[in-house]
Amino acid sequence: MRFKPRGDRAYDELVASVEDGELVLGRPERGARRVSFNLSLLFGGGPAWSGNLETPPIYFSGLAMFAVRFRPRRPGWNRVGFELRSGGTLGRWGVPVVADTDDELDPPMRNLEGDDATTSEQSGEERIGWARVLVEPGVVVSLQERIALGGGLGMGFSLPYRGANDITGDTLNFIVSPNLDLRFRLRRWLRLVVQFRGVFGEKEFERPAEDEGNRPKPGDRAQSLLVLGGLQAQF
């Protein structure tokens, strides 16, 4: 007799035997699939700090991540899955206000809140598109049939894909992105994900400054905290 176990992971079909008039199912973990794949699409945002900026601006980002997951069959370890993820984010990073004036005593300023920091006759607004490319190992622990807790440590680089001349310093730099997420199973193949992600080591951004001491210096780095939410498809 053929049967298929049901649970919080995918199973292949198994064959039960009949011994002395009794149906013997055997160990159901024999049919558990060790390797699976998932695709996450998350959206959200959060504050970013650079230098000694006291009031951090809020930026929005979208994250796409593809993962290969290995989950053992062995009892005791079958609640733990190991993932290798690759993907990144697209979003906004800094809003420069470029002065339309030849006065060298009044240099251009950036307004991270999106508001014009100078007069309308002297300025124009340009938004910066910001991309992050990440590869990260991760671990996911199944707390119960419908809830799982995951974490990872992303490594990669970030760069502007629009407005490359508006970021202080080089346009490509190494970043580290630790993250923690909570996954709720809606269907066998679909999960709702809430993720908390930090990003460290990005290039500093310009900001309004009434004195030169408040401007970024070479070697300054920016840090971000993102709160993301969305869906994950597993196959």
Side-chain angles (χ1 to χ4, degrees):
M1 178 180 294
R2 295 183 177 272
F3 72 100
K4 179 180 288 189
R6 300 190 59 166
D8 64 340
R9 62 191 298 182
Y11 287 86
D12 294 323
E13 198 173 65
L14 296 174
V15 177
S17 60
V18 178
E19 298 180 4
D20 298 329
E22 295 183 356
L23 187 64
V24 180
L25 299 179
R27 296 180 303 154
E29 62 267 22
R30 292 179 297 122
R33 295 180 185 175
R34 291 189 176 96
V35 179
S36 62
F37 306 90
N38 61 66
L39 177 64
S40 302
L41 296 175
L42 311 178
F43 300 91
W49 292 267
S50 178
N52 58 358
L53 186 63
E54 294 182 357
T55 305
I58 303 295
Y59 295 116
F60 295 94
S61 297
L63 178 143
M65 193 73 72
F66 176 79
V68 180
R69 182 177 180 182
F70 175 80
R71 187 172 173 183
R73 292 175 177 173
R74 184 178 177 180
W77 285 94
N78 56 5
R79 287 182 174 270
V80 181
F82 303 92
E83 292 186 342
L84 181 61
R85 311 164 186 162
S86 63
T89 70
L90 290 178
R92 193 178 70 168
W93 187 252
V95 181
V97 176
V98 182
D100 296 328
T101 177
D102 294 329
D103 186 2
E104 296 182 355
L105 298 178
D106 187 16
M109 295 190 302
R110 301 169 189 267
N111 188 326
L112 297 176
E113 300 297 335
D115 299 327
D116 194 339
T118 61
T119 62
S120 60
E121 293 82 4
Q122 294 180 335
S123 65
E125 184 179 274
E126 180 184 355
R127 295 179 181 270
I128 297 176
W130 195 250
R132 301 180 180 99
V133 180
L134 297 168
V135 175
E136 61 182 53
V139 177
V140 181
V141 179
S142 180
L143 302 180
Q144 60 110 249
E145 185 178 351
R146 290 189 173 273
I147 301 176
L149 181 67
L153 179 63
M155 294 166 284
F157 57 90
S158 62
L159 73 165
Y161 63 86
R162 187 176 60 193
N165 296 326
D166 299 314
I167 295 295
T168 303
D170 298 333
T171 58
L172 189 66
N173 59 292
F174 178 78
I175 60 174
V176 178
S177 180
N179 58 85
L180 184 70
D181 60 66
L182 195 60
R183 308 180 184 188
F184 303 89
R185 185 167 70 90
L186 304 178
R187 296 285 187 273
R188 187 172 57 84
W189 57 274
L190 186 65
R191 285 160 175 77
L192 177 66
V193 179
V194 178
Q195 184 179 96
F196 303 91
R197 177 178 290 271
V199 184
F200 302 94
E202 294 191 293
K203 291 300 180 184
E204 69 279 7
F205 45 78
E206 294 277 3
R207 53 200 182 273
E210 296 180 358
D211 58 88
E212 288 298 324
N214 195 35
R215 288 196 176 277
K217 302 176 179 60
D220 283 353
R221 291 292 181 265
Q223 300 82 37
S224 303
L225 176 62
L226 303 176
V227 180
L228 305 166
L231 298 176
Q232 181 186 88
Q234 182 170 313
F235 48 93

